[in-house]
């Protein structure tokens, strides 16, 4: 099966140089030239391979699918271009167990139905430039078991979801409305917020924040009974440990935003691919995580992969000769995939 996936993706990626092709795969593979036709033809549980380019989804998705693009970093997708979904997307509660990897969603991403939660979402090495909404309803605190890893996100809103896990993500702006969730090894608040008087954590309860970098000074709103440990703060600790219901230990405070990242070409702005987000030499967050690695996305035993290349093979370069020699055209294609 792994060999079949590899050959299919290689075939599709090579064709994508000329025109987009979308492969729907389970036990067999079918090729389509329109993403909406491919989605409609897919059965629940099928995998959809999406080439580089910008594509619009015309209707809500109402079934479990596994979505795989070629990545969103420009320097790791020079042959195909990044995979972009340029329309808002909505996945109903019948899309339980869906997964997404290597896709740039340029607008809002919303899951679940008012009476049917989408559970067990997995999102890896994607970018969401709008708001990532993890529920449609706002009442109750259901366990939706969302797993978000190595993503670049603008604004996330759990709408009071429980049991969500964000790890090694770059979260540019606000984190809203979570219960009993876990945030570890993330970069939070690249943008200096102006909304709500610099509040960037809002309505979060009974959650754990460990080994995160908080890049700018900020305050909390309706954040209760959370544990903040081994985090690095540009400013001071955003709660009073004596009177607050929030607790924590081994936090590093008052570092200053200019002393955190190696190279930031635009201060306190939205995520930029040109920036070097590794901790600056001498930053106190180096080696200070609870496992002895660095605080932030490049910590843990499995750090953030620069370039966010998907774990599935994709074309990183393609060279096709302009002239045939002895009736043959030379083709050289380089394929790359992360080890995990």
């Amino acid at each position: 099966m792994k060999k079949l996936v590899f050959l299919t993706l290689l075939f599709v990626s090579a064709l994508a140089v000329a025109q987009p092709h979308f492969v729907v795969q389970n036990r067999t593979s079918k090729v389509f030239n329109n993403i909406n036709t491919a989605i409609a033809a897919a059965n629940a549980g099928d995998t959809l391979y999406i080439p580089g380019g910008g594509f619009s989804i015309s209707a809500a998705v109402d079934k479990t699918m596994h979505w795989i693009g070629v990545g969103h970093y420009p320097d790791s997708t020079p042959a195909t271009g990044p995979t972009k979904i340029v329309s808002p997307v909505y996945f109903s509660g019948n899309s339980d167990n869906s997964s997404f990897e290597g896709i740039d969603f340029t607008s809002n991403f919303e899951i679940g139905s008012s009476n049917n939660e989408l559970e067990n979402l997995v999102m890896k090495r994607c970018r969401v430039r709008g708001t990532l909404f993890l529920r449609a309803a706002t009442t109750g605190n259901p366990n939706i078991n969302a797993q978000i890893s190595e993503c670049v996100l603008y604004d996330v809103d759990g709408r009071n979801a429980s049991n969500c896990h964000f790890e090694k993500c770059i979260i540019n702006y606000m984190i809203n409305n979570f219960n009993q969730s876990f945030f570890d090894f993330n970069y939070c608040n690249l943008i200096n917020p102006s909304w709500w008087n610099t509040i960037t954590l809002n309505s979060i309860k009974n959650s754990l924040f460990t080994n995160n970098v908080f890049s700018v000074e900020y305050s909390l709103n309706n954040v209760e009974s959370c544990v903040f440990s081994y985090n690095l703060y540009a400013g001071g600790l955003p709660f009073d440990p004596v009177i607050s219901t929030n607790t924590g230990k081994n936090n590093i405070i008052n570092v200053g935003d200019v002393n955190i990242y190696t190279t930031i070409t635009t201060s306190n702005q939205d995520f930029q691919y040109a920036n070097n987000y590794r901790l600056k030499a001498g930053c106190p967050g180096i080696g200070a995580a609870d496992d002895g690695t660095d605080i932030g996305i490049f910590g843990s035993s499995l750090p953030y992969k620069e370039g966010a290349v998907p774990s599935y093979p994709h074309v990183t370069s393609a060279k096709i000769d302009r002239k045939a020699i002895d009736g043959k055209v030379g083709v050289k294609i380089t394929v790359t995939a992360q080890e995990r």
Side-chain angles (χ1 to χ4, degrees):
M1 180 59 71
K2 288 184 178 179
K3 184 177 181 181
L4 179 60
V5 170
F6 170 82
L7 292 177
T8 300
L9 187 54
L10 176 60
F11 174 70
V12 174
S13 299
L15 286 177
V17 174
Q19 62 181 18
H21 286 72
F22 306 86
V23 169
V24 174
Q25 186 177 57
N26 196 324
R27 291 182 175 86
T28 60
S29 300
K30 295 181 180 179
V31 181
F32 301 87
N33 60 12
N34 180 278
I35 190 170
N36 293 293
T37 304
I39 294 168
N43 294 315
D46 283 357
T47 298
L48 172 63
Y49 293 98
I50 311 172
F55 311 104
S56 180
I57 297 175
S58 59
V61 179
D62 196 43
K63 54 193 165 187
T64 300
M65 292 178 63
H66 304 288
W67 302 61
I68 299 172
V70 300
H72 66 86
Y73 273 73
D75 60 359
S76 62
T77 57
T80 60
T83 295
K84 294 187 178 184
I85 302 298
V86 298
S87 60
V89 291
Y90 169 69
F91 300 87
S92 78
N94 293 327
S95 303
D96 290 340
N97 305 301
S98 291
S99 64
F100 304 85
E101 184 169 0
I103 302 172
D104 184 347
F105 297 93
T106 66
S107 189
N108 288 350
F109 185 112
E110 186 168 354
I111 68 172
S113 310
S114 59
N115 59 353
N116 185 10
E117 306 292 347
L118 193 163
E119 299 177 349
N120 304 315
L121 168 82
V122 175
M123 180 180 287
K124 187 175 183 181
R125 295 176 185 154
C126 289
R127 182 172 184 181
V128 181
R129 299 179 188 241
T131 299
L132 172 61
F133 293 102
L134 295 182
R135 296 181 65 207
T138 58
T139 57
N141 304 112
N143 292 328
I144 68 167
N145 305 312
Q147 305 290 317
I148 316 295
S149 177
E150 296 185 74
C151 292
V152 177
L153 309 171
Y154 177 70
D155 186 51
V156 296
D157 193 335
R159 288 178 168 166
N160 301 315
S162 296
N163 200 27
C164 299
H165 183 197
F166 288 78
E167 64 168 351
K168 296 186 291 291
C169 291
I170 299 174
I171 304 172
N172 293 312
Y173 193 41
M174 292 188 70
I175 302 172
N176 298 281
N177 304 310
F178 286 92
N179 184 62
Q180 294 180 342
S181 293
F182 183 29
F183 299 81
D184 66 327
F185 291 102
N186 301 290
Y187 285 164
C188 305
N189 319 131
L190 296 184
I191 299 175
N192 198 349
S194 58
W195 186 69
W196 273 19
N197 298 318
T198 70
I199 292 169
T200 53
L201 295 184
N202 177 57
S203 294
I204 302 173
K205 296 178 174 61
N206 306 303
S207 295
L208 179 62
F209 291 82
T210 305
N211 304 316
N212 303 286
V213 174
F214 291 92
S215 304
V216 298
E217 294 194 47
Y218 70 101
S219 58
L220 310 180
N221 180 66
N222 197 28
V223 176
E224 301 173 359
S225 302
C226 293
V227 179
F228 294 84
S229 297
Y230 294 91
N231 300 294
L232 183 147
Y233 296 88
L237 196 67
F239 62 90
D240 186 336
V242 176
I243 62 174
S244 174
T245 61
N246 301 307
T247 61
K249 63 180 181 180
N250 296 319
N251 294 292
I252 302 172
I253 63 174
N254 296 318
V255 175
D257 58 352
V258 297
N259 299 314
I260 297 176
Y261 303 120
T262 297
T263 305
I264 301 295
T265 56
T266 52
S267 178
N268 291 337
Q269 298 296 317
D270 193 5
F271 169 83
Q272 302 290 329
Y273 289 109
N275 289 341
N276 183 342
Y277 290 106
R278 289 189 175 274
L279 297 184
K280 180 180 290 188
C283 177
I286 295 174
D290 63 355
D291 62 356
T293 63
D294 293 352
I295 295 175
I297 63 173
F298 294 107
S300 85
S301 60
L302 295 171
Y304 186 92
K305 292 287 189 179
E306 291 181 291
V309 176
S311 56
Y312 296 84
H314 72 283
V315 173
T316 54
S317 66
K319 181 180 180 182
I320 303 175
D321 293 341
R322 294 181 178 275
K323 294 183 178 180
I325 300 176
D326 297 329
K328 299 179 180 180
V329 176
V331 177
K332 183 179 180 181
I333 296 176
T334 302
V335 179
T336 302
Q338 297 285 12
E339 294 179 357
R340 58 173 178 84

